[in-house]
């Protein structure tokens, strides 16, 4: 099974890649009978092409122009405000979908075209349909924590430096860290939101001396864990699974996993809007969702897709019944309302 990498690293290079693959003027979809798809590049977009884009192209007899990676919200805003929209389908992270929807940059999903009856409840929004999801879980170095001995589990284990000593790393963002701190402090997953920000930062104070790296990219986590430079880390499940498949000395712990997602969206004023909605309808069918899960180990959002996967394929997903019971969805609506002030507090806290 081919595993994908998460894709924040593409933000820096995406603009160059897009310019290379898409000359000036080539993205314009007005009247050309094409769809312009804005993805994230890399093996993730390769999987989307195989699972979603190629079947739709074959069924409709059309061309799809792909734009990989790169920042997108500012470009989306500029296109909409200039009434010169060149994109038809855009893959947005959950928080960015909400932000763009609130700003009036997205078309409402046409539920007369897109059947949402089988989509997981969290996956239906006025301005987007969830296309896949992942879980932020724990990786631990198996040389430091051998499999024949009890290891740390969940956020309480991550904080338990007395019984499970060793350097840790966290992503350089308050999202996830604050939830983890509260869980470690005894808050039940069901009671997390709204987050008690002051309590979370007090709990983070305890762990701060043991965080030796605030990482920005998932590839960095695997390197740190594999080398033993850190012994515990929180990162995306599929990145860790890819490392384990490559025989890295890493074990995965799903306890307290934090689920998040990407959404299919249509820019406001997009040409071929009806065709874009048909693409979303196609890409959210159970067979295509199952194929995407096989290629990536990302969770399918159509409830019927799980029945099309065998036991081995299901075992790599964050959405098995057993795993879902111990995980929680990121409340991106809450974060969108509070992110700016918390980010400022986070930056100050790291320096004190």
């Amino acid at each position: 099974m081919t595993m994908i990498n998460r894709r924040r690293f593409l933000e820096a290079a995406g603009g160059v890649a897009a310019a290379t693959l898409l000359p000036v003027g080539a993205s314009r979809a007005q009247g050309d009978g094409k769809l312009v798809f804005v993805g994230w590049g890399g093996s993730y977009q390769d999987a989307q092409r195989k699972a979603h884009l190629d079947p739709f192209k074959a069924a409709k007899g059309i061309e799809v122009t792909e734009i990989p990676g790169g920042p997108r919200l500012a470009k989306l805003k500029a296109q909409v405000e200039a009434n010169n929209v060149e994109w038809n389908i855009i893959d947005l992270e959950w928080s960015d979908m909400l932000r763009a929807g609130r700003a009036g940059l997205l078309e409402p999903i046409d539920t007369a075209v897109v059947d949402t009856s089988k989509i997981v409840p969290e996956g239906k929004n006025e301005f987007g349909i969830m296309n896949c999801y992942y879980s932020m879980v724990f990786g631990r170095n198996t040389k430091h924590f051998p499999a024949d001995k009890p290891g740390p589990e969940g956020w309480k284990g991550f904080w338990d430096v007395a019984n499970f000593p060793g350097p840790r790393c966290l992503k350089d963002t308050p999202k996830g860290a604050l939830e983890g701190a509260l869980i470690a402090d005894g808050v039940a997953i069901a009671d997390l939101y709204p987050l008690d920000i002051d309590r979370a930062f007090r709990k983070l104070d305890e762990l701060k001396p043991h965080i030796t790296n605030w990482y920005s990219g998932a590839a960095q986590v695997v390197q740190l864990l594999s080398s033993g430079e850190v012994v515990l880390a929180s990162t995306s499940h599929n990145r860790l699974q890819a490392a384990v498949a490559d025989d890295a000395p890493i074990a995965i712990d799903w306890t307290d996993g934090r689920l998040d997602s990407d959404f299919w969206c249509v820019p406001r004023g997009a040409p071929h809007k009806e065709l874009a909605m048909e693409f979303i309808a196609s890409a959210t069918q159970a067979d295509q969702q199952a194929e995407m899960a096989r290629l990536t180990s990302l969770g399918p959002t159509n409830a019927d897709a799980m029945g099309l996967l065998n036991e081995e394929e299901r075992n790599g997903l964050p959405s098995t019944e057993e795993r879902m019971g111990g995980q929680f969805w990121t409340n991106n609506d809450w974060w969108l309302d509070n992110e700016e002030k918390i980010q400022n507090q986070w930056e100050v806290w790291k320096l004190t």
Side-chain angles (χ1 to χ4, degrees):
M1 182 181 294
T2 302
M3 307 291 183
I4 71 161
N5 303 334
R6 291 299 293 169
R7 54 224 186 257
R8 281 298 191 188
F9 75 95
L10 289 167
E11 291 288 350
V16 175
T20 301
L21 296 178
L22 199 67
V24 174
S27 67
R28 295 187 62 84
Q30 289 89 334
D32 60 11
K34 299 179 182 178
L35 285 185
V36 178
F37 169 76
V38 183
W40 289 101
S43 55
Y44 175 63
Q45 191 161 327
D46 290 342
Q48 288 180 317
R49 184 181 307 113
K50 183 174 181 180
H52 305 309
L53 299 176
D54 285 349
F56 190 71
K57 287 161 61 177
K60 294 292 183 180
I62 62 169
E63 295 184 29
V64 177
T65 299
E66 298 182 39
I67 302 177
R72 53 203 62 204
L73 286 188
K75 294 179 181 179
L76 174 62
K77 184 174 185 290
Q79 288 185 23
V80 172
E81 291 182 347
N83 196 28
N84 186 28
V85 178
E86 300 179 342
W87 300 342
N88 306 114
I89 298 289
I90 183 169
D91 183 340
L92 289 176
E93 293 180 337
W94 195 334
S95 56
D96 283 344
M97 179 272 295
L98 294 175
R99 187 174 287 108
R102 290 189 187 185
L105 303 179
L106 300 175
E107 293 282 353
I109 297 298
D110 186 350
T111 54
V113 177
V114 182
D115 180 5
T116 63
S117 62
K118 296 293 185 177
I119 301 299
V120 296
E122 297 82 3
K124 293 176 276 192
N125 184 274
E126 179 183 0
F127 297 106
I129 299 296
M130 188 183 291
N131 59 35
C132 66
Y133 58 91
Y134 60 95
S135 183
M136 299 295 288
V137 296
F138 300 96
R140 59 185 181 228
N141 181 281
T142 54
K143 294 180 180 178
H144 190 85
F145 298 114
D148 60 348
K149 296 181 180 180
E153 294 185 348
W155 285 110
K156 289 185 177 180
F158 198 84
W159 250 260
D160 190 355
V161 295
N163 291 310
F164 304 106
R168 277 89 159 132
C169 74
L170 279 174
K171 191 171 184 178
D172 187 10
T173 174
K175 184 185 286 189
L178 268 63
E179 287 93 335
L182 292 171
I183 294 170
D185 205 36
V187 177
I189 282 176
D191 300 327
L192 277 174
Y193 300 99
L195 301 182
D196 186 332
I197 299 169
D198 292 338
R199 180 177 176 180
F201 274 103
R202 286 196 298 270
K203 190 65 176 177
L204 278 164
D205 286 338
E206 300 176 9
L207 189 67
K208 190 177 182 180
H210 305 277
I211 302 297
T212 58
N213 188 286
W214 300 100
Y215 75 87
S216 57
Q220 185 180 6
V221 180
V222 171
Q223 181 180 0
L224 292 168
L225 278 173
S226 299
S227 67
E229 187 174 340
V230 301
V231 298
L232 276 175
S234 170
T235 192
S236 56
H237 80 277
N238 50 300
R239 168 59 89 171
L240 291 173
Q241 286 176 321
V244 171
D246 288 337
D247 297 322
I250 295 173
I252 301 173
D253 170 31
W254 294 84
T255 308
D256 302 333
R258 178 175 63 86
L259 297 160
D260 214 328
S261 178
D262 280 13
F263 280 71
W264 298 126
C265 301
V266 178
R268 184 162 64 87
H272 312 310
K273 181 180 73 173
E274 295 79 8
L275 196 59
M277 296 296 173
E278 290 179 20
F279 169 80
I280 296 176
S282 173
T284 50
Q285 292 177 0
D287 58 344
Q288 291 193 25
Q289 287 279 302
E291 179 63 10
M292 188 67 180
R294 293 186 190 99
L295 294 168
T296 64
S297 286
L298 295 172
T301 63
N302 185 309
D304 290 343
M306 292 292 282
L308 303 178
L309 300 170
N310 62 37
E311 183 178 357
E312 181 182 1
E313 291 164 343
R314 290 194 298 270
N315 190 52
L317 302 176
S319 47
T320 63
E321 184 175 352
E322 178 183 8
R323 287 174 183 159
M324 289 295 284
Q327 300 184 84
F328 64 97
W329 287 100
T330 308
N331 189 327
N332 282 292
D333 284 286
W334 184 90
W335 271 104
L336 189 56
D337 290 335
N338 295 276
E339 188 169 15
E340 184 176 356
K341 68 177 182 180
I342 295 176
Q343 185 64 44
N344 292 335
Q345 188 173 351
W346 175 262
E347 298 300 334
V348 172
W349 174 81
K350 285 193 304 174
L351 297 174
T352 57

